[in-house]
Amino acid sequence: MDASGYAAWAAAVTSAATLVVTTLVSGRREQVRWARDALTDAFVAFLSASWKHSDLARSGLPGDPAVAPGLAREYAEMRSHLTRLRLLTSADVVTAGEVLLRLQREVQEATTQAGRHTALEAASTARMEVVAAAKKAMDLP
């Protein structure tokens, strides 16, 4: 084989190596992007269900049968999205989410207007803690 044959062979090997490295790096980047997008979606869905739950609770009196199905539905949504968060994020975020979920249950089970108000305030504070934990987990300011 002459010099041009070796040069062609070296170019082909270099091209193949570049293709492999580029494919691996691009694949990893896409995986990280997918995980970040899925995590963002899970955070938004969890917090959205929490807000809806609180808004429904504010719209009726404790024990109101017209509000109870909506509260149960949004609570179930929160549980479902918390399961997704368990798969995608840190223990700190999951712990904050569990605290919020328990407080939303207290909102739902409050028997007096004053008790519901206190539970709603606690849930609001816990919601801010979930946001702070989520931002920290995602390296956001």
Side-chain angles (χ1 to χ4, degrees):
M1 191 170 358
D2 62 359
S4 64
Y6 286 118
W9 185 81
V13 168
T14 303
S15 178
T18 301
L19 177 64
V20 168
V21 169
T22 302
T23 301
L24 290 174
V25 169
S26 295
R28 180 68 182 149
R29 221 178 296 148
E30 283 301 313
Q31 184 180 16
V32 168
R33 185 177 306 152
W34 173 87
R36 188 176 181 102
D37 289 347
L39 182 56
T40 301
D41 290 346
F43 283 137
V44 169
F46 179 75
L47 292 170
S48 177
S50 172
W51 277 113
K52 288 177 185 177
H53 187 274
S54 291
D55 290 345
L56 278 168
R58 282 186 188 91
S59 73
L61 296 172
D64 184 351
V67 176
L71 291 174
R73 181 183 60 250
E74 295 306 328
Y75 184 81
E77 281 292 310
M78 286 183 68
R79 286 178 55 107
S80 174
H81 295 302
L82 186 57
T83 298
R84 287 177 57 205
L85 288 174
R86 283 185 179 99
L87 297 171
L88 295 168
T89 193
S90 69
D92 291 342
V93 175
V94 172
T95 300
E98 289 170 344
V99 168
L100 176 55
L101 186 67
R102 279 192 291 280
L103 290 169
Q104 293 289 170
R105 175 58 101 185
E106 288 180 20
V107 167
Q108 193 169 330
E109 293 176 348
T111 57
T112 66
Q113 194 65 16
R116 180 168 277 180
H117 178 73
T118 300
L120 283 165
E121 285 182 358
S124 179
T125 300
R127 199 176 298 114
M128 288 185 276
E129 292 296 322
V130 170
V131 170
K135 288 172 79 172
K136 182 178 176 185
M138 296 176 73
D139 292 325
L140 297 173

